[in-house]
Each structure stands twice: as C-alpha cells, then as structure tokens.
Amino acid sequence: MKAIIISHEPSPPESPVEIHRFVFQLDTEFGDSSIQQISLRTARVIVDNLPGPGAFAKMLRAIVTTERARYDSLVSRAFLRDNDDHERAFQQDRGEVCA
C-alpha cells in the first residue's frame, strides 16, 4: 500500500483547528486507487487506536506530529511499503527516504 498526502485545507475561521483537513490518495498493490480526506481530529483518534507500521498509520502519525505552520511540508509526501513488508516514508519528489 502507498499513501500520499495531496493537499490540506485549513479549518473555517469559526471552526476549531482540529477540523483542518488533509486530502490523500491510497494506492493498493492490486492497482486500486482512491482519494479521500481526513480531519486532524479524526487522524488523532485513529493514531491513538491504530498500532503498527502500515503506510496509512505512518501517514496519520506524520500529520498529527507536524506543527501547523509546517503542514505544507507534508504535501506530496508518500508513505510506502517495501518488499520486505517494512514501512518507510518516501519523499516522492526527491526520491529520498525520510526518517
């Protein structure tokens, strides 16, 4: 599986910060692809309850641990599964593995 953060949208001015939304694409090893969105609040809840090193979980952990001022740095960042079934973050536009 591969998860790529496509964009983010700030919450409306009258809404709490937790409504900030992230748009992402999920690609499966079977060639299926879907574009979805998630709010910061929902990502926090899932991260608290979703253990493991999966691509989706790693993407959500990156979202919830990034400072609000740095959300732009998440755009185009992809999280991939390597052939050994280990997860790693991959900076798609540079081809660099991120720690």
Side-chain angles (χ1 to χ4, degrees):
M1 176 181 272
K2 176 171 70 172
I4 305 167
I5 298 174
I6 298 172
S7 66
H8 67 95
E9 306 167 1
S11 54
E14 67 279 356
S15 300
V17 172
E18 289 80 20
I19 303 299
H20 195 109
R21 296 194 187 282
F22 293 85
V23 178
F24 61 95
Q25 179 175 332
L26 291 178
D27 297 326
T28 70
E29 50 277 346
F30 304 111
D32 299 324
S33 182
S34 66
I35 295 177
Q36 302 176 31
Q37 67 177 348
I38 193 165
S39 71
L40 178 59
R41 177 179 22 198
T42 302
R44 286 180 177 151
V45 170
I46 293 172
V47 164
D48 287 344
N49 295 290
L50 182 66
F56 181 67
K58 285 190 80 166
M59 179 190 70
L60 295 183
R61 281 194 292 276
I63 289 171
V64 302
T65 60
T66 299
E67 295 177 23
R68 188 174 7 172
R70 297 189 39 116
Y71 285 159
D72 285 341
S73 70
L74 295 173
V75 175
S76 295
R77 188 165 172 196
F79 302 85
L80 303 173
R81 175 172 301 220
D82 67 19
N83 292 334
D84 294 328
D85 221 23
H86 297 289
E87 296 295 324
R88 58 189 166 135
F90 182 83
Q91 190 67 37
Q92 185 177 26
D93 58 338
R94 293 191 191 140
E96 298 173 5
V97 174
C98 303

